[in-house]
Amino acid sequence: MSQLPSSQLRAYADAHPKPPNIEYQYGTAGFRTLGSVLDSVLFRVGVLAGLRSKRLEGRTVGVMVTASHNPEQDNGVKLVDPRGEMLEASWEQYATFLANAPTTDAFLDVVDAVVKNTKIDLSRPARVVYGRDTRPSGAELVSALEDGLKAIGAETRNAGITTTPILHYLVRAINTKGTAESYGEDSEEGYYLKLSGAFKKLIAGKTKPEPIVIDCANGVGALAAEKISQHLGDSLPMILENTATTTKGALNYQCGADFVKTGQKLPPSLADKLKPGQRACSFDGDADRLMYYYLDERGHFQMLDGDKIAALVASFIVDLVRLAGLEKEVKVGLIQTAYANGASTKYLSDRLPVKCVSTGVKHLHHAAEHYQIGVYFEANGHGTILFSRETLEKLSTHEPNTPAQSTALNHLVNLTHLINQTVGDAISDMLLVEVVLTHKSYSGAEWNSLYTDLPNRLVKVVVADRNAFKTEDAERRLVSPAGLQQKIDELVRKFEGGRSFVRPSGTEDVVRVYAEAAIRAQADELAYRVGGLVYDEAGGDPKGRPKEFV
Ligand code: G16
């Protein structure tokens, strides 16, 4: 193909018309909205994925159909670049333009413009691997995607129903197959073998962990956890809960990482099952986020969120680097967002460089690439650790001087296999946490005592137009609506240890408000009062006013 297959594209595009009066946006994690209005978007993303692969000389790109933590009726789609990372930011605008072209003619014009602007050699092959989560709308949306892939003439591989992190793994494994940088066998089985093999090496000779309770959010993580559990055997006994992947309405409902983090409470389905002190964790709907928790001896819920995971694993890595005698050559850095609890930032800043960036894995991932070892975690439990190419090389060539150095070096090498470096991965992150807890012989309570969280509260406000909210300074300050930030500042000053910020969500049609303060009641009050300001300033929808400030 040296020219666009225009009549083929037209015929397929006519079968997937864009609904009028809907404006799509490639946001924090791709397109995300009601599954029922995404048919044309999926078709067009198929075409774009083909073009992206051609632009990258036929390297395989990925497409994941998921709305992750969102409610079951939502769905979404995001593109994965060849190293398993999120789509290059400059291409997000093409995705948005393509999705919003009102007619087939307009769509073909945008396709043509993308080809010209990005200088695509159309004679190159297009290769795309795609997968989806368990949402009921997934099958039809995948068939729209497949039409887009056929229309642009892509070679395809269907990864079926799988987790987002496994799809990212597959993309990297396919593209590095047979090279010195091979990421592993390019199959789901290859993923399980790689992670479980590394886990077993890392805990060899240690006391086996007690069973862990896993809330699978009634999503695809249940299927993946079941499979990896077979590989892990008694090296990590798992009790899988919320595994109803085919029950209508069950996905993410009253369970899952987002439910736990936002509500700061246990999924009700675990209330009678969890014993005090027992470790438990929640995945989200596509198993790329992880939240840990336990009940203390008084039966009170204690949450170990993404910040606590970062504190645990970053300190472990820093110690290993030092023990391996590499601290002069290998610098470890940590990336957080404005949602990071102030107490975590303080704890971690004493141990390693900490940087704050905007919400969205893509921002954290790119910032983490600037370190030899970059640890990134969002407070919501989304994160991973990146080892730079030179670090991987150093770990494989470094000559240890002592047995202790050799052990630490081995652990670091095994961690590079355990950690899914393409994106946050609930299963890989859970295994990482289990390794650290095993090495340190930590209970949940000991881990929790690394630092004490400042009380905090997150609320959502439904407003007329969330795009009216613009931020700066890594989303810590509002620049519009005009004057609102000053009002927030005045309010925050009245609360001891107060901090609050407001930002539009990129995955839900809401504005998010975060607040923390020295005591719980104040954090709650600050969040609801800032929420009230947002509501009053921005023409809030009466349905969106959280009941606490009605
Ligand atoms: C996605 C992104 C995360 C982000 C989250 C919430 O997560 O990948 O980086 O923190 O959305 O974003 P927002 O506050 O903009 O809605 P997931 O797990 O839903 O894919």
Side-chain angles (χ1 to χ4, degrees):
M1 181 198 300
S2 55
Q3 283 189 329
L4 279 171
S6 296
S7 50
Q8 184 172 308
L9 279 167
R10 176 181 294 281
Y12 275 110
D14 280 342
H16 299 281
K18 176 186 179 290
N21 309 323
I22 297 185
E23 179 85 10
Y24 300 103
Q25 200 176 339
Y26 197 96
T28 314
F31 294 106
R32 212 175 271 191
T33 183
L34 282 176
S36 54
V37 299
L38 275 169
D39 179 87
S40 62
V41 173
L42 266 288
F43 165 74
R44 292 168 183 202
V45 164
V47 174
L48 186 67
L51 294 176
R52 179 80 185 142
S53 173
K54 282 177 182 289
R55 178 67 187 87
L56 299 171
E57 296 167 357
R59 297 179 78 202
T60 297
V61 304
V63 180
M64 183 68 197
V65 181
T66 177
S68 188
H69 72 279
N70 289 42
E72 184 171 294
Q73 65 274 21
D74 285 4
N75 215 325
V77 60
K78 59 185 168 191
L79 286 163
V80 179
D81 263 354
R83 285 185 60 76
E85 71 280 46
M86 301 286 188
L87 175 69
E88 184 186 296
S90 66
W91 272 61
E92 291 180 5
Q93 53 174 333
Y94 301 131
T96 301
F97 286 144
L98 274 180
N100 289 311
T103 60
T104 295
D105 281 334
F107 163 70
L108 291 174
D109 286 348
V110 181
V111 171
D112 203 43
V114 173
V115 172
K116 292 201 172 101
N117 263 336
T118 61
K119 302 191 174 61
I120 294 174
D121 176 353
L122 290 167
S123 67
R124 297 288 183 168
R127 300 191 178 98
V128 179
V129 55
Y130 57 93
R132 70 169 176 100
D133 68 16
T134 53
R135 276 161 215 270
S137 57
E140 273 187 31
L141 291 178
V142 161
S143 88
L145 173 77
E146 287 170 338
D147 276 1
L149 295 166
K150 276 182 224 152
I152 194 71
E155 294 167 29
T156 60
R157 172 165 160 187
N158 184 353
I161 294 180
T162 194
T163 72
T164 293
I166 292 178
L167 196 270
H168 284 252
Y169 166 91
L170 283 175
V171 172
R172 179 123 152 207
I174 291 169
N175 286 307
T176 55
K177 194 171 179 168
T179 71
E181 288 187 7
S182 169
Y183 196 56
E185 204 185 289
D186 64 331
S187 65
E188 196 167 316
E189 183 67 9
Y191 166 91
Y192 297 128
L193 283 170
K194 181 179 176 184
L195 268 60
S196 59
F199 180 80
K200 286 178 191 166
K201 285 186 193 157
L202 279 157
I203 64 153
K206 307 273 175 198
T207 313
K208 295 247 158 50
E210 290 292 312
I212 176 161
V213 175
I214 305 175
D215 155 27
C216 301
N218 294 314
V220 64
L223 311 176
E226 175 62 43
K227 288 185 201 147
I228 198 152
S229 171
Q230 286 161 16
H231 288 275
L232 290 165
D234 68 357
S235 64
L236 181 62
M238 298 178 183
I239 302 168
L240 303 185
E241 299 288 347
N242 296 327
T243 57
T245 54
T246 54
T247 303
K248 212 165 164 3
L251 179 68
N252 293 329
Y253 182 69
Q254 302 260 303
C255 59
D258 199 57
F259 175 87
V260 171
K261 173 65 182 166
T262 312
Q264 304 184 21
K265 60 184 181 202
L266 202 62
S269 54
L270 297 191
D272 298 335
K273 295 182 177 141
L274 210 57
K275 299 184 209 78
Q278 191 171 17
R279 293 169 348 283
C281 64
S282 286
F283 298 171
D284 68 343
D286 61 342
D288 60 2
R289 292 198 207 175
L290 178 69
M291 204 50 63
Y292 261 76
Y293 41 90
Y294 64 96
L295 300 177
D296 62 21
E297 70 276 7
R298 289 173 302 159
H300 291 170
F301 173 76
Q302 300 291 342
M303 185 167 72
L304 297 151
D305 65 0
D307 298 335
K308 280 268 156 80
I309 296 175
L312 181 79
V313 303
S315 306
F316 185 64
I317 300 264
V318 167
D319 287 349
L320 283 179
V321 167
R322 185 176 39 77
L323 289 169
L326 286 167
E327 76 267 40
K328 290 214 176 69
E329 299 144 85
V330 177
K331 295 285 168 230
V332 187
L334 180 92
I335 318 295
Q336 300 186 310
T337 71
Y339 290 110
N341 195 277
S344 80
T345 309
K346 188 167 177 308
Y347 173 86
L348 283 154
S349 301
D350 289 342
R351 288 160 178 81
L352 71 168
V354 177
K355 194 173 174 348
C356 178
V357 300
S358 297
T359 296
V361 175
K362 59 189 177 191
H363 300 297
L364 290 112
H365 195 94
H366 287 137
E369 283 173 336
H370 291 111
Y371 294 96
Q372 275 95 36
I373 301 182
V375 182
Y376 72 84
F377 268 92
E378 294 183 293
N380 64 22
H382 208 150
T384 187
I385 302 178
L386 307 183
F387 297 79
S388 72
R389 194 171 285 168
E390 49 162 343
T391 306
L392 291 175
E393 225 171 271
K394 190 151 289 158
L395 295 179
S396 63
T397 54
H398 182 70
E399 288 293 340
N401 292 323
T402 63
Q405 283 195 352
S406 164
T407 306
L409 195 61
N410 260 328
H411 288 334
L412 282 169
V413 170
N414 287 324
L415 285 175
T416 66
H417 299 305
L418 181 74
I419 295 165
N420 186 348
Q421 294 178 54
T422 60
V423 78
D425 180 334
I427 290 182
S428 162
D429 290 340
M430 176 190 72
L431 296 179
L432 171 62
V433 167
E434 291 298 315
V435 164
V436 184
L437 296 179
T438 304
H439 277 245
K440 293 193 166 282
S441 306
Y442 271 179
S443 64
E446 284 161 317
W447 171 14
N448 204 14
S449 69
L450 292 180
Y451 64 85
T452 305
D453 270 324
L454 281 170
N456 60 90
R457 179 65 59 200
L458 193 58
V459 296
K460 298 179 191 182
V461 187
V462 179
V463 296
D465 177 17
R466 71 181 147 130
N467 291 318
F469 288 76
K470 304 258 185 286
T471 61
E472 62 177 8
D473 187 21
E475 301 181 317
R476 288 174 286 197
R477 299 189 61 78
L478 276 177
V479 287
S480 109
L484 183 52
Q485 184 61 50
Q486 284 68 20
K487 291 185 180 164
I488 295 171
D489 290 343
E490 277 164 33
L491 196 55
V492 166
R493 274 196 290 274
K494 297 182 184 149
F495 290 77
E496 196 201 327
R499 180 170 78 91
S500 180
F501 66 89
V502 171
R503 57 174 284 278
S505 161
T507 61
E508 292 172 63
D509 198 8
V510 297
V511 167
R512 299 197 198 281
V513 175
Y514 175 86
E516 61 187 35
I519 54 172
R520 153 73 43 225
Q522 295 253 300
D524 290 348
E525 187 185 340
L526 180 57
Y528 294 124
R529 287 182 64 183
V530 173
L533 283 178
V534 167
Y535 180 88
D536 293 337
E537 286 280 321
D541 175 340
K543 283 186 292 196
R545 193 177 178 98
K547 62 177 182 321
E548 284 83 345
F549 55 85
V550 165

